Amino acid sequence: MPRELKKRGRREEKKRKREEYEHEHEQEAPVKQYRNDDGDNEIKLDIEEYGQPPEYDGAPNPKEIPFYGLLDEEEQGYFKRADTLLELNQFADAEERSLFLANVYREANGKELKVANSQSCSRLMERLMRMSSPDQLKTLFQKFSGHFSNLVQHRFASHCCETLFLQSAPIVTQELTAPLEEKPQPNDSGDVIPSMESLFLSTVKELEGNLGYLITDNFASHTLRVLLVVLSGRPLSGAAITSLLQSKKKETVDITAAATASTGEVPGSRTVPESFTIALDDVISRTIAGLNTTYLQALATHPTGNPVLQLLLELEFAGSGKSKARDDVSIFRRLIPDDPLVGGTNSASFIKGLLYDPVGSRLLETVVQYAPGKQLKALYKAMFRESLSTLVKNDIASYVVIRILERLSHNDLQHAVTQICPQLPLLIERSRTSIIKVLIERCQVRQVGTEPIADAMKAGCDVSDPRAFFSMLKIGSGETEGMSEERKSRIEAQDSGRLHGSLMVQAMVNVPGPLRDLVMSNILAMSGSSFLAMARDRAATHVLQAVLTCEGQTKPVRRKIVQQFIGHIEELALDPIASHVVDTFWQATEDTFFVRETIAEELQRSETALRDSFSGRAVWRNWRMDLFKRRRVDWIAEAKGVPQKGEASNWKVRGTEDRTAKSAIELARERFAAAKAGKGVTGRPGMGTGVNVTRHSRVSAKT
């Protein structure tokens, strides 16, 4: 009798039993429950598995995505070669590139959906969109229309949809500002090309029935965020927008020598038609129409749904402002329904839960950052005012406190300083110096005294020992001494404590008063070797530069610090990090010419070594050493800031010189020509150059 075909081993047996058990109990999976608005019927909610509320049960199942077919081997080979050529971008001119793109579009005609869903060829589609003309993008838009609800959920096609939206958004602005045409122009096939505005509006209409589960879909949520940003008219580039629209793991599809079409991103805010604003309001209202408070609060801690909820809240605050925040059907009021907000309510418990949640705290940051002043003040008094000293000690809640400090008034900031200052030694010990940096900066903006902060720092460290002070701030610790530059930079990049410590000390230096005095007393007590180590440290060198260039720094202090480096200028100029300190010496010695000249002479003695080094050449150029070597008088005039008479009056500060001014050799030629025309007026009578006399005698002899 034949035996059953099965794999051997204990792991396979355990795997088989686990699969059988899961199959038997899949109908008994735990679900979240909440009560409806009437409080009578219980409704089951499985947000982890489906990511959609019960009101969207009639919508298509997000797992049932149609199959658009596969490309054959010949087609895959052609598109891969085309992708390689587009990535290299080695076309002779724009015309050749346009012909190549037209051929690729001709080959992909009728296969666009297959290419977008292909793992190997979807990158070609993205590069193709980045280099396409407006008409070609509109053609792709039409090919995708009717399939967007499926494409945005696909692992590869969703990236194509994002790129299509981003590349098409500037065309909407161009069509608004361009002169109106009598009628739409047909394309090559004779079909009338619609406007990009109408294509976007049809996409919104296609997706609006599926917004419930698209919010929590792993791939569709990113595309939905891009579409919301396009409709809102916000900028499409920038660090804040990039972190909002895509994850850190997103693959970047670039083109060598960036040859994107003329539909590039418009910097700053974009002009969008009024229909986009109406469509955006409709999307927001439809998204939350079937969601009650319980589901929205569950969505606040959902890893995929939280970023979409952040964007919806931000757009709601930006569009409607104070009036919308008071509306019962707004997202803000549904998240926090209790008004007034007091302790012990459900809303208060929800906010406390968000404070310590890694995902939910980001939503709370958005609320604090963009909420109207009246709502923020009520939220601050009820939830944060008396608990700041506790919140700053938490790894997650401290980021919310930073956002709160950025919006506090003068009186509230004074109260926050009194609460946070006793915790400063603990914060420094745990390397949470970013919150101290923000506190110092806000005190400077709101004109709040920084004496309590300085006193708390003095109590937390031995201010008489500069090594203890800077080691406490993780600055110049010397832990990477003796390592290679590559390994050192990699380790220092991972150590965020050193970076935040440096930024905090720079903030202290930029605020005149006791905080700057505290830093300066420790720096001036350092030895010469400590100064050299500080200049070479990737984080501490910025502190040294801030000390030398901060506003209001006294001349004796700058001269005393610069003189610590005399005799070591060459080794500093050859160091990639310390060379920036040598560049700073030019500004630090603006009123001490003899020190500036001493440094220049030391650089001149090391000319050969400096010219062989990248950082050395930069220092040589920034110190105008070619001028110092060839025209010392002009260099001295510039170093002293005094314009010289005659020829030197044509010289200006580097970067502002007049390119039409005559050089010294041109002025000499003009003088020589004038002297020759005047028969030697500039010389003694009867005297000429030996060359002219000899030449004249030879001519006379021949005649």
Side-chain angles (χ1 to χ4, degrees), residues 307-423:
V308 182
L309 194 57
Q310 288 183 53
L311 181 58
L312 290 173
L313 259 176
E314 183 178 343
L315 295 176
E316 181 180 87
F317 287 140
S320 306
K322 303 177 182 179
S323 60
K324 192 66 175 178
R326 294 191 296 265
D327 195 348
D328 292 338
V329 297
S330 65
I331 301 177
F332 175 74
R333 189 50 62 196
R334 289 201 178 187
L335 276 173
I336 309 174
D338 295 307
D339 188 20
L341 181 64
V342 293
T345 59
N346 292 333
S347 297
S349 302
F350 168 66
I351 293 174
K352 288 182 180 178
L354 292 183
L355 273 172
Y356 302 102
D357 187 87
V359 178
S361 61
R362 296 181 179 272
L363 179 66
L364 199 54
E365 288 183 49
T366 303
V367 171
V368 171
Q369 190 174 4
Y370 296 102
K374 185 176 180 180
Q375 280 72 23
L376 177 64
K377 194 168 186 180
L379 183 65
Y380 172 71
K381 288 185 177 180
M383 302 301 303
F384 303 111
R385 181 179 173 84
E386 303 302 330
S387 58
L388 287 177
S389 59
T390 305
L391 296 176
V392 294
K393 295 185 290 185
N394 186 269
D395 293 344
I396 299 171
S398 58
Y399 290 99
V400 181
V401 176
I402 289 176
R403 295 297 185 186
I404 293 173
L405 293 176
E406 292 174 349
R407 295 200 60 184
L408 289 184
S409 62
H410 177 86
N411 296 333
D412 289 334
L413 188 60
Q414 281 184 326
H415 182 267
V417 169
T418 58
Q419 282 210 328
I420 296 176
C421 280
Q423 310 298 331

Side-chain angles (χ1 to χ4, degrees), residues 141 213 233 251 258 301 304 316 392 463 515 519 533 551 677 683:
F141 230 119
Y213 65 77
E251 178 184 357
T301 56
T304 308
E316 181 180 87
V392 294
V463 295
L515 289 176
V519 176
E551 185 179 358

Side-chain angles (χ1 to χ4, degrees), residues 159 256 271:
H159 296 285
T256 306
T271 304

Side-chain angles (χ1 to χ4, degrees), residues 397-506:
S398 58
Y399 290 99
V400 181
V401 176
I402 289 176
R403 295 297 185 186
I404 293 173
L405 293 176
E406 292 174 349
R407 295 200 60 184
L408 289 184
S409 62
H410 177 86
N411 296 333
D412 289 334
L413 188 60
Q414 281 184 326
H415 182 267
V417 169
T418 58
Q419 282 210 328
I420 296 176
C421 280
Q423 310 298 331
L424 291 188
L426 180 62
L427 295 177
I428 294 175
E429 181 183 353
R430 296 180 179 179
S431 299
R432 298 215 192 96
T433 52
S434 57
I435 191 170
I436 306 177
K437 167 184 168 291
V438 174
L439 184 64
I440 294 171
E441 292 173 345
R442 297 310 300 173
C443 286
Q444 183 183 15
V445 172
R446 296 296 187 187
Q447 298 181 356
V448 176
T450 56
E451 291 81 5
I453 303 177
D455 295 339
M457 286 190 173
K458 292 177 182 178
C461 68
D462 184 9
V463 295
S464 61
D465 186 3
R467 291 177 300 178
F469 177 76
F470 288 107
S471 63
M472 175 190 69
L473 302 177
K474 305 290 189 302
I475 296 178
S477 56
E479 298 173 355
T480 58
E481 221 173 289
M483 296 183 182
S484 63
E485 288 296 328
E486 182 180 356
R487 187 182 178 191
K488 185 188 298 185
S489 60
R490 185 168 61 251
I491 292 177
E492 290 177 351
Q494 295 174 352
D495 188 4
S496 59
R498 294 163 58 85
L499 173 62
H500 290 301
S502 173
L503 293 174
M504 189 195 74
V505 177
Q506 292 176 54

Side-chain angles (χ1 to χ4, degrees), residues 52-66:
Q52 65 180 62
E55 287 80 359
Y56 289 93
D57 287 341
N61 192 329
K63 296 182 180 179
E64 296 176 358
I65 300 177

